[in-house]
């Protein structure tokens, strides 16, 4: 990072949710939602966070925003530790960090007009009132592509794309520096998705914003993100610059995710080998030992069962946590080729039974 202090930095971040049972609500187990995540986000960039449902993506976003307190580790913002802040300090932090939610209807109060919704942050943080607040709301509406006469309507009178624009305007009301985008387009039609993504891109350029873009759609991630982090069962499997990750994925899990991206032109001759992973994602209550992906990895071997792979840099900021990549000096395993050739690195049935 050339000595530059990251805007946001996560250091060994953990979040366990306790499971209680019985008459006395005894603590019987934990859900390992986030299990040792290290991640940095530089000012002005968009970092994508991808993975299957239940991998811990949204929990990471909420930990950054202090909506949840970590079980271990720390979050730093502008070089200052922000975990464990007092209530007054958290309120001041809210002006710097905001979130745009996945569901553009559930995140808006149906009993308030959209003008009141967008103006509420101005009132809470005492940024403007009266005519000044009304002018600021109108300015925000113009900024996100809505008409000022919309302010007296209610959320149910808008389409999904318009409601998401209202959510964006609300997030921008306090002039934040950093925004967590929690799957902001997954609930929208495909044609509307492109409009909202382009709007977010334009706003970043105009206002100098920094994004953490949480999503499961890898096509969307490729369009808007500078770097991409791949999560699996609470841990980071791979981090790289966007083009590097898509053109040279190192981790077998990343390769499987990229193979699932649909080819836009079904009539084209381009063909992609589809990597179908066996089984389901293991329970985060009792995650597998060693590499957490070994129960589904087609090229896993005995070392993967007993030893957790470190997240290593293989050049140009391309990190991956895979024993096979490490042993091959940063060379990515070709899953489809090794499956066809009957690679002897595959876990034996006897080992799995043990």
């Amino acid at each position: 990072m050339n000595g530059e202090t990251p805007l946001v930095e996560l250091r060994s971040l953990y979040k366990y949710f306790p499971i209680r049972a019985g008459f006395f609500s005894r603590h019987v187990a934990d859900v390992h939602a986030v299990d040792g995540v290290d991640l940095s986000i530089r000012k002005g960039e968009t970092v994508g966070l991808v993975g299957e449902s239940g991998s811990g993506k949204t929990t990471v976003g909420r930990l950054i925003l202090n909506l949840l307190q970590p079980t271990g580790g720390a979050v730093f913002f502008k070089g200052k530790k922000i975990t464990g802040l007092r209530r007054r300090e958290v309120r001041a932090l809210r002006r710097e960090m905001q979130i745009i939610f996945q569901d553009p209807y559930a995140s808006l109060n149906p009993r308030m007009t959209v003008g009141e919704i967008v103006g509420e942050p101005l009132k809470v943080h005492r940024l403007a009132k009266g005519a000044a607040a009304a002018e600021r709301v109108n300015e925000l509406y113009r900024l996100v592509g809505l008409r000022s006469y919309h302010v007296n309507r209610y959320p149910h009178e808008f389409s999904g794309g318009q409601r998401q624009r209202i959510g964006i305007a609300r997030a921008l009301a306090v002039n934040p520096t950093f925004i967590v985008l929690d799957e902001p387009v997954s609930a929208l039609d495909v044609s509307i998705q492109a409009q909202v993504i382009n709007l977010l891109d334009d706003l970043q350029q105009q206002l100098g914003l920094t994004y953490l873009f949480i999503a499961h759609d890898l096509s969307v991630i490729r369009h808007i993100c500078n770097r991409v982090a791949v999560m699996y069962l609470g841990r980071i499997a791979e981090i790289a610059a966007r083009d590097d990750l898509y053109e040279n994925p190192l981790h077998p899990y990343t390769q499987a995710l990229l193979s699932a991206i649909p080819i836009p032109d079904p009539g084209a001759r381009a063909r992609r080998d589809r990597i179908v992973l066996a089984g389901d994602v293991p329970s985060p209550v009792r995650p597998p030992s060693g590499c957490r992906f070994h129960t589904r990895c087609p090229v896993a071997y005995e070392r993967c069962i007993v030893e957790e792979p470190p997240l290593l840099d293989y050049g140009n900021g391309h990190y991956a946590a895979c024993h096979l990549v490490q042993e091959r000096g940063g060379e990515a395993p070709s899953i489809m080729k090794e499956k066809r050739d009957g690679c002897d690195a595959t876990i034996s049935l006897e080992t799995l039974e043990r």
Side-chain angles (χ1 to χ4, degrees):
M1 293 188 298
N2 299 323
E4 179 186 356
T5 301
L7 181 69
V8 178
E9 186 176 9
L10 315 183
R11 298 181 187 173
S12 300
L13 199 63
Y14 291 81
K15 181 59 182 179
Y16 296 167
F17 293 99
I19 299 175
R20 302 186 182 278
F23 183 77
F24 294 102
S25 296
R26 292 183 299 108
H27 180 197
V28 295
D30 290 297
V31 176
H32 296 231
V34 176
D35 214 353
V37 168
D38 292 284
L39 182 65
S40 63
I41 304 173
R42 296 185 287 267
K43 184 178 180 180
E45 75 171 344
T46 301
V47 173
L49 193 58
V50 302
E52 294 171 281
S53 296
S55 61
K57 307 184 300 296
T58 295
T59 303
V60 167
R62 291 176 181 270
L63 287 169
I64 292 174
L65 295 171
N66 244 296
L67 297 175
L68 295 172
Q69 289 301 312
T71 305
V75 178
F76 292 81
F77 181 69
K78 293 183 177 179
K80 177 184 176 183
K81 184 178 178 181
I82 60 172
T83 46
L85 294 178
R86 290 174 295 183
R87 185 172 181 178
R88 180 179 297 178
E89 294 172 317
V90 171
R91 171 171 285 198
L93 185 67
R94 293 285 177 260
R95 291 187 57 181
E96 296 270 12
M97 310 171 79
Q98 286 289 308
I99 184 171
I100 296 171
F101 296 96
Q102 176 179 358
D103 189 337
Y105 187 73
S107 61
L108 303 177
N109 188 336
R111 294 182 175 86
M112 297 174 67
T113 66
V114 294
E116 293 170 336
I117 290 171
V118 175
E120 188 175 28
L122 301 174
K123 182 188 301 183
V124 170
H125 292 278
R126 300 176 182 177
L127 298 176
K129 59 181 181 180
E135 178 56 33
R136 175 59 175 160
V137 169
N138 290 334
E139 178 188 347
L140 290 165
Y141 266 70
R142 290 191 295 269
L143 190 63
V144 299
L146 294 175
R147 305 287 186 178
S148 58
Y149 59 78
H150 288 155
V151 296
N152 294 319
R153 298 182 181 179
Y154 289 86
H156 71 270
E157 299 180 70
F158 294 88
S159 67
Q162 289 175 319
R163 287 197 291 263
Q164 194 60 290
R165 289 173 185 265
I166 295 166
I168 295 171
R170 177 177 59 184
L172 295 176
V174 293
N175 294 315
T177 305
F178 174 73
I179 299 180
V180 172
L181 306 168
D182 188 5
E183 303 203 27
V185 297
S186 62
L188 307 178
D189 293 338
V190 175
S191 59
I192 305 301
Q193 286 183 12
Q195 296 176 19
V196 174
I197 290 170
N198 289 333
L199 171 63
L200 292 170
D201 198 16
D202 292 341
L203 291 172
Q204 184 177 39
Q205 302 302 319
Q206 294 177 39
L207 305 176
L209 299 171
T210 302
Y211 293 148
L212 175 66
F213 198 105
I214 299 170
H216 59 266
D217 189 332
L218 289 162
S219 300
V220 171
I221 287 289
R222 186 167 195 173
H223 179 78
I224 196 172
C225 295
N226 306 111
R227 287 191 299 135
V228 183
V230 180
M231 282 193 74
Y232 183 79
L233 211 61
R235 290 181 179 165
I236 299 289
E238 188 167 358
I239 308 172
R242 175 191 59 201
D243 293 338
D244 197 9
L245 184 97
Y246 280 78
E247 294 170 8
N248 182 36
L250 297 180
H251 200 283
Y253 179 59
T254 308
Q255 294 182 29
L257 289 180
L258 294 178
S259 76
I261 300 176
I263 298 174
D265 184 3
R269 292 186 178 182
R271 181 178 177 275
R272 182 187 294 121
D273 288 324
R274 178 74 168 89
I275 301 171
V276 180
L277 299 177
D280 298 322
V281 180
S283 170
V285 178
R286 297 187 64 184
S289 60
C291 175
R292 297 195 170 184
F293 186 57
H294 81 255
T295 59
R296 305 171 70 197
C297 182
V299 294
Y301 61 114
E302 277 73 9
R303 183 184 178 189
C304 304
I305 302 174
V306 297
E307 184 180 341
E308 179 185 346
L311 189 65
L312 300 177
D313 187 355
Y314 293 100
N316 299 319
H318 194 152
Y319 291 80
C322 178
H323 290 309
L324 200 55
V325 175
Q326 181 183 4
E327 292 183 1
R328 296 182 178 187
E331 180 185 348
S334 177
I335 294 180
M336 296 308 300
K337 179 180 183 301
E338 296 186 21
K339 286 178 70 178
R340 288 193 295 267
D341 294 347
C343 177
D344 57 5
T346 306
I347 300 175
S348 62
L349 291 176
E350 293 80 2
T351 303
L352 285 175
E353 288 172 356
R354 289 200 301 268

